[in-house]
């Protein structure tokens, strides 16, 4: 039976979430350790918590990295990359209705002053 015990390739020796490994076989037939990166999560809407469409699931250091283009980090819309389309629509409608309410109040004030 072949010995499958392996040593870590990095100096970090503890069994933590950031130090997960897999045993792989190299083309030369040697067994080696492959470090498994953490699963990336899709960005979520700040209002409703839904996953944002059109956004890549990336780790924080990949988001900061210059290799990832700006096009992959956000959506070309107001609040793109921070809020989902439904929440943006609600914000726009809310703002419009508030403005309309102010106009109606102003008109009613003017009418009451004329009488």
């Amino acid at each position: 039976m072949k010995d499958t015990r392996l040593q870590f390739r990095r100096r970090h020796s503890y069994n933590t979430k950031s130090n997960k490994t897999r045993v792989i076989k190299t083309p030369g037939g040697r067994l080696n350790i492959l470090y498994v990166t953490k699963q990336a999560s899709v960005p979520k809407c700040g209002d409703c918590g839904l996953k944002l469409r059109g956004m890549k699931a990336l780790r924080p250091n990949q988001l900061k990295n210059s290799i990832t283009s700006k096009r992959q980090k956000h959506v070309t819309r107001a609040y793109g990359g921070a809020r989902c389309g439904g929440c943006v629509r609600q914000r726009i409608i809310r703002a419009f209705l508030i403005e309309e309410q102010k106009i109606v109040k102003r008109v009613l004030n003017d009418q009451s002053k004329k009488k």
Side-chain angles (χ1 to χ4, degrees):
M1 187 172 145
K2 196 171 183 182
D3 189 17
T4 56
R5 289 177 294 182
L6 295 167
Q7 285 183 327
F8 283 121
R9 296 169 80 186
R10 299 175 187 165
R11 289 170 188 246
H12 188 204
S13 61
Y14 298 104
N15 186 25
T16 59
K17 285 192 286 185
S18 63
N19 202 28
K20 294 298 176 195
T21 58
R22 247 177 41 195
V23 177
I24 58 158
K25 195 175 241 183
T26 60
R30 277 179 48 236
L31 291 177
N32 216 337
I33 277 188
L34 177 77
Y35 284 90
V36 182
T37 55
K38 290 183 188 178
Q39 187 77 31
S41 64
V42 179
K44 291 173 185 65
C45 174
D47 290 346
C48 62
L50 288 175
K51 291 178 182 176
L52 293 178
R53 288 177 166 169
M55 297 280 295
K56 279 198 163 186
L58 297 169
R59 296 293 302 161
N61 63 344
Q62 290 173 315
L63 277 171
K64 284 188 284 185
N65 203 341
S66 61
I67 294 168
T68 310
S69 65
K70 190 174 182 182
R71 185 182 57 78
Q72 294 171 326
K73 297 179 198 175
H74 75 110
V75 183
T76 50
R77 186 199 313 123
Y79 297 100
R83 304 285 182 269
C84 67
C87 291
V88 172
R89 183 181 289 127
Q90 280 181 347
R91 282 172 179 235
I92 292 168
I93 291 169
R94 188 184 305 128
F96 174 77
L97 290 174
I98 288 169
E99 289 300 315
E100 285 290 308
Q101 207 172 20
K102 286 178 187 175
I103 292 167
V104 168
K105 263 187 194 172
R106 204 175 302 133
V107 169
L108 288 173
N109 271 345
D110 290 346
Q111 284 177 353
S112 66
K113 284 179 182 176
K114 284 180 183 177
K115 287 182 182 180

